[in-house]
Amino acid sequence: MAKITWNISNITCATCAHTISKSLETHAQKNIEVSIASGRVAFDHNQNVSEQMLQKEIEQLGYHFSSSSTITKKTAWWTKLSHRLVISFLFTLPLLLHMFVHIDWLMNPLVQFFFALPVYFLGLLSFGKSAFRSIKNNAPNMDVLIIVGASAAFIYSLVGCFILNDTTYLFFETTASIFTLVLFGNWLEHRSAEFTQRAVKRLISAQSTKATMIAFDDQYAEQFLEVAIADLRVGDLILVKSGEVVPADAKILSGQACFNESVITGESAGVWKQNKDNIIGGSIIEDGNVKAQITAVGDLSVLGKIIQSVREAEAEKAPVQLLADKISAVFVPLVLFIAGITFLGNYFFAEYLFETALMRAIAVLVIACPCALGLATPAAIAVGLGRGAKYGILFRQAKILERCKHIRQIVFDKTGTLTTGKLRIKNFSCNDIGTEYFKQLVTSIEKFSTHPIAHSIVQEWQQEKYLPLKNIQEIKGIGISAQDDEGNVYEIGSEKMNPHLATNIPPHQSIYVFKNKKNIGWIDLEDELRPEAKSVIQNLQEKNIRVYLISGDNELKCKQVAQQLGIEHYHASQSPEQKIKWIEQLEKNAPTVMVGDGINDAPALAKASIGISINGASQISIEAASIVLMNSNLSHVITALELGTHTYRTIQENLFWAFSYNIIAIPVAAFGFLSPTFGALMMGASDVVLALNSGRLYIKKIHSAS
């Protein structure tokens, strides 16, 4: 199934999301994700139903597409939300003036009717279609409450104006103020949504629109052509000059330059790159020029994947939202019922006047706010994910934000995680073969490995020619083997590769080299600790988080690192399978984080409550992780956990506000302490409160990200 993504401009609450999901589900669409915060709808398209038909049905429900990839209509200027708000405000203001000054002609029923009529017409255009469609689909939304409340006041006023000719029956200002204030609330809500989406928009804006492509004429002379980014393909050659944005992921073929990768990593310091280095689309050349070959474009690029992951995480529901969703599904019918009880109770039992009972019922309708319940979680998640993206912390799932609060244990891999992974050959020894041949043999085999140790050896012992090899087989966490044309079998790895043959060799060596089960040499490598590693471990321990070191490296090296960093619990010479068993055992006691970077870490990353992968790690470990640190800064492990904790607390605060607001406001309106006008203002303000509270996540002080 093809993945389809829409942008819908007027998704306002959980009921809207439920209505759209239900419509798509009836046509057998799968994996439907609806983001209230961003208005993004994504699903796996069942091609038995055309996309155009699905779009038409969604439009008939009252929702509007805002993407060029969907059906669009040329609309009049007065259909825009801001323009409707201005018109409604201008006609509503005279109706409210009598509350402050007495103007005789404004008290005329016909004058009030003609001022209220345009506002009522715009209100029906704004909310009527959506309300009618939601009732038709057995999923009444907030617009139903608005239409019923405003229409009750308008119809009651018409009776007073044209039948009873009694000014005490006039509540045209109530109708106009309800629609105007709700439109104002929607406008504020849209502005708030834009605020919560600013980090994603920043990423999107980093994507260049033009590129300089290198082509060749019939004389093989270079020609430089300006092309659209969408026209670039993998393998194309490009020229990127100082001050320009890298249009897509690429590998440098010639030249060197300083790249600002802050849009991806959050680090403003420039990074110098040269021949054969990979560059990231969206980064900016601060100094220098390079010619490069495209390696990935669009959604397959690093920046594209980040944007996609953030959007998917935004659309995902956090577990804490489930209760709010269940309540939202029955909220509107429940409020209609309460409004009916309010009217009957005030009129028949409390013996208030008809208009008093009606105004109280209308106040109940317009003050109730299901949007608050629907937006409580998505608003906070959008800001949390956005701030994470700003600092190069990529949360792949929304539920991970909630898990961060409960973490009590963390497991670190050693090489490339607590250490820089930039290993240096400290010493080596070879038997029976020459030094140069030994280097050529080792690099010829290790170039097929993805382990950081192998990369370091190949980089340090660079060779112009490599030996022909076959039957290459890598054993995760142990080593790699290969066979030459003469049938000799070579093995390179830890002592576990041939433990009974490595007993007479000094135990501190990093790797051993075997030929036909006979040891022919060893290589000892040393690695530097990350400069921030010790402070990170101390900070975690101060938070009462137990720290473990579990590595595939030997006992001596693991013990040395553990002592340097103050880690009490460490386990050396662990295979990927053993790492999984440790994670399973630790998970029985408390939720656990696994931090790693290699292929041998991938299973453990997937098994842990939270898997954190460091940028530069193998692709498989990045895919297995639930959090990716794009800037390789180990201190951002703490930043990620704190950001997740603060986001979860913000969600709890938002839900507390949403529930408290409705629980308190509805009875207050029912007992006549709030007018419908003030109720409409409070309903709009409730969403703004959520947006402001969620927005505090942008300025909250968080470890190493403040």
Side-chain angles (χ1 to χ4, degrees):
M1 291 185 175
K3 191 80 170 179
I4 285 182
T5 301
W6 294 336
N7 290 317
I8 295 180
S9 60
N10 56 333
I11 297 176
T12 59
C13 63
T15 307
C16 296
H18 176 72
T19 301
I20 293 171
S21 296
K22 187 175 179 181
S23 174
L24 293 172
E25 284 173 359
T26 58
H27 296 292
Q29 308 305 309
K30 302 294 184 182
N31 299 323
I32 302 166
E33 299 172 346
V34 183
S35 171
I36 301 173
S38 64
R40 180 177 174 273
V41 178
F43 59 94
D44 292 335
H45 183 210
N46 182 344
Q47 298 183 352
N48 291 330
V49 184
S50 70
E51 182 181 358
Q52 287 72 24
M53 198 202 97
L54 293 172
Q55 292 171 342
K56 185 175 180 181
E57 184 163 316
I58 297 299
E59 283 192 326
Q60 289 175 347
L61 291 173
Y63 298 100
H64 311 301
F65 291 96
S66 58
S67 171
S68 59
S69 61
T70 60
I71 293 176
T72 56
K73 293 181 178 179
K74 187 175 181 180
T75 55
W77 68 272
W78 49 266
T79 62
K80 293 183 178 180
L81 176 61
S82 58
H83 295 158
R84 287 182 179 181
L85 174 60
V86 171
I87 295 171
S88 297
F89 176 77
L90 292 175
F91 279 94
T92 301
L93 187 60
L95 291 172
L96 296 177
L97 278 178
H98 76 276
M99 298 172 62
F100 308 100
V101 295
H102 182 77
I103 302 176
D104 289 335
W105 64 272
L106 282 178
M107 302 305 295
N108 187 304
L110 286 176
V111 171
Q112 291 198 17
F113 168 74
F114 283 115
F115 272 113
L117 187 61
V119 182
Y120 186 68
F121 172 73
L122 288 177
L124 291 178
L125 281 177
S126 300
F127 309 111
K129 192 174 183 180
S130 170
F132 175 75
R133 295 294 183 185
S134 70
I135 294 173
K136 184 179 177 182
N137 285 276
N138 298 317
N141 60 16
M142 187 193 73
D143 294 342
V144 173
L145 302 180
I146 304 304
I147 290 293
V148 171
S151 295
F154 189 76
I155 294 170
Y156 185 69
S157 299
L158 286 179
V159 173
C161 178
F162 295 106
I163 298 178
L164 302 179
N165 195 25
D166 188 342
T167 57
T168 60
Y169 284 78
L170 298 183
F171 294 97
F172 285 121
E173 79 280 358
T174 299
T175 298
S177 61
I178 287 173
F179 278 137
T180 300
L181 289 172
V182 172
L183 285 170
F184 178 62
N186 286 354
W187 180 80
L188 287 176
E189 192 177 301
H190 280 284
R191 297 288 293 178
S192 300
E194 289 178 0
F195 174 75
T196 62
Q197 288 289 301
R198 67 180 187 179
V200 175
K201 290 181 177 179
R202 173 175 167 268
L203 291 173
I204 294 173
S205 65
Q207 295 177 306
S208 179
T209 57
K210 296 289 184 180
T212 302
M213 189 170 77
I214 303 173
F216 298 90
D217 60 19
D218 55 356
Q219 302 297 318
Y220 298 102
E222 286 184 345
Q223 301 293 322
F224 300 100
L225 309 173
E226 186 178 85
V227 299
I229 296 299
D231 294 331
L232 288 177
R233 297 292 181 267
V234 174
D236 286 346
L237 303 180
I238 57 171
L239 170 67
V240 192
K241 295 175 287 187
S242 181
E244 293 184 344
V245 177
V246 178
D249 292 357
K251 176 173 284 190
I252 297 176
L253 299 179
S254 65
Q256 60 178 350
C258 182
F259 292 83
N260 183 329
E261 299 178 341
S262 59
V263 70
I264 307 295
T265 66
E267 298 289 346
S268 58
V271 180
W272 279 94
K273 295 188 176 183
Q274 56 188 356
N275 188 30
K276 296 185 180 180
D277 286 339
N278 292 315
I279 54 178
I280 303 173
S283 55
I284 301 172
I285 292 187
E286 295 181 338
D287 184 22
N289 302 293
V290 297
K291 294 178 182 178
Q293 185 174 37
I294 300 293
T295 56
V297 295
D299 291 342
L300 297 178
S301 66
V302 171
L303 184 59
K305 286 180 178 178
I306 291 175
I307 294 171
Q308 185 72 8
S309 293
V310 172
R311 283 174 165 171
E312 288 176 356
E314 282 179 348
E316 181 189 355
K317 292 186 184 296
V320 74
Q321 177 69 17
L322 297 179
L323 175 61
D325 286 348
K326 290 178 181 178
I327 294 175
S328 296
V330 298
F331 187 89
V332 174
L334 180 63
V335 171
L336 289 170
F337 175 76
I338 293 173
I341 294 298
T342 298
F343 174 79
L344 295 174
N346 279 277
Y347 185 66
F348 289 106
F349 296 100
E351 298 183 351
Y352 284 106
L353 295 174
F354 182 88
E355 58 266 26
T356 301
L358 179 62
M359 288 300 103
R360 292 184 177 184
I362 292 173
V364 168
L365 291 173
V366 299
I367 203 170
C369 187
C371 291
L373 293 172
L375 285 171
T377 296
I381 286 177
V383 177
L385 294 174
R387 185 167 183 185
K390 177 182 177 181
Y391 291 107
I393 302 170
L394 176 59
F395 292 87
R396 297 173 65 87
Q397 298 170 307
K399 61 185 178 184
I400 299 303
L401 292 164
E402 187 172 331
R403 290 182 187 174
C404 291
K405 176 178 171 52
H406 306 290
I407 293 301
R408 292 294 175 268
Q409 302 175 131
I410 185 166
V411 176
F412 287 94
D413 176 45
K414 184 180 76 68
T415 305
T417 304
L418 291 174
T419 64
T420 62
K422 298 176 181 178
L423 300 168
R424 185 177 64 84
I425 297 175
K426 182 180 180 181
N427 198 4
F428 71 95
S429 175
C430 55
N431 307 318
D432 302 331
I433 58 177
T435 299
E436 291 305 317
Y437 183 79
F438 179 74
K439 291 181 178 181
Q440 188 179 32
L441 172 67
V442 170
T443 53
S444 297
I445 298 173
E446 291 285 49
K447 74 172 184 175
F448 293 100
S449 174
T450 58
H451 197 280
I453 289 178
H455 288 171
S456 299
I457 292 173
V458 172
Q459 188 171 8
E460 188 163 346
W461 283 351
Q462 291 184 9
Q463 301 290 314
E464 294 183 2
K465 294 182 179 180
Y466 295 98
L467 301 176
L469 298 167
K470 57 186 178 181
N471 297 333
I472 297 161
Q473 187 176 15
E474 186 168 15
I475 307 169
K476 293 179 183 179
I478 297 178
I480 187 170
S481 64
Q483 187 177 359
D484 64 16
D485 292 338
E486 298 177 0
N488 296 308
V489 177
Y490 296 94
E491 296 170 304
I492 303 177
S494 68
E495 66 272 11
K496 289 189 291 184
M497 182 69 80
N498 276 302
H500 62 286
L501 294 175
T503 54
N504 296 324
I505 302 172
H508 65 280
Q509 313 310 334
S510 296
I511 62 171
Y512 304 94
V513 183
F514 299 94
K515 176 181 179 181
N516 298 326
K517 303 299 181 182
K518 178 184 177 182
N519 179 258
I520 60 171
W522 50 259
I523 304 173
D524 188 21
L525 298 101
E526 60 181 3
D527 193 3
E528 292 182 359
L529 289 174
R530 290 184 182 272
E532 71 276 14
K534 190 166 186 176
S535 63
V536 169
I537 300 303
Q538 289 176 343
N539 191 292
L540 290 168
Q541 291 170 339
E542 289 171 1
K543 296 176 183 294
N544 294 320
I545 296 176
R546 182 172 291 184
V547 180
Y548 293 84
L549 169 60
I550 300 180
S551 173
D553 212 339
N554 63 55
E555 174 76 17
L556 188 64
K557 289 186 178 293
C558 287
K559 182 179 180 180
Q560 184 181 8
V561 169
Q563 288 177 340
Q564 286 178 298
L565 298 179
I567 299 175
E568 182 180 351
H569 310 280
Y570 72 92
H571 303 279
S573 303
Q574 299 297 299
S575 68
E577 292 74 19
Q578 289 172 315
K579 288 185 178 182
I580 293 176
K581 290 180 180 179
W582 276 112
I583 295 296
E584 290 176 341
Q585 183 175 331
L586 292 171
E587 286 281 358
K588 292 177 182 178
N589 299 324
T592 303
V593 173
M594 172 67 194
V595 186
D597 75 321
I599 286 180
N600 57 323
D601 297 322
L605 289 171
K607 195 71 177 177
S609 294
I610 299 177
I612 301 181
S613 179
I614 300 178
N615 187 38
S618 63
Q619 185 64 32
I620 190 171
S621 67
I622 291 176
E623 292 298 325
S626 43
I627 300 176
V628 179
L629 307 182
M630 299 303 298
N631 55 15
S632 300
N633 188 337
L634 199 62
S635 64
H636 278 192
V637 169
I638 301 175
T639 306
L641 295 179
E642 288 193 2
L643 183 57
T645 299
H646 283 296
T647 302
Y648 180 67
R649 287 175 183 167
T650 302
I651 291 172
Q652 289 180 312
E653 292 166 357
N654 286 353
L655 286 173
F656 177 79
W657 163 257
F659 282 117
S660 299
Y661 166 81
N662 284 290
I663 291 171
I664 295 172
I666 291 174
V668 167
F671 285 102
F673 294 105
L674 290 174
S675 67
T677 298
F678 192 71
L681 180 62
M682 287 290 293
M683 189 273 289
S686 67
D687 291 344
V688 178
V689 170
L690 289 181
L692 292 175
N693 189 52
S694 299
R696 288 193 309 125
L697 273 172
Y698 273 123
I699 58 175
K700 274 189 177 180
K701 186 175 181 180
I702 295 176
H703 175 86
S704 77
S706 54

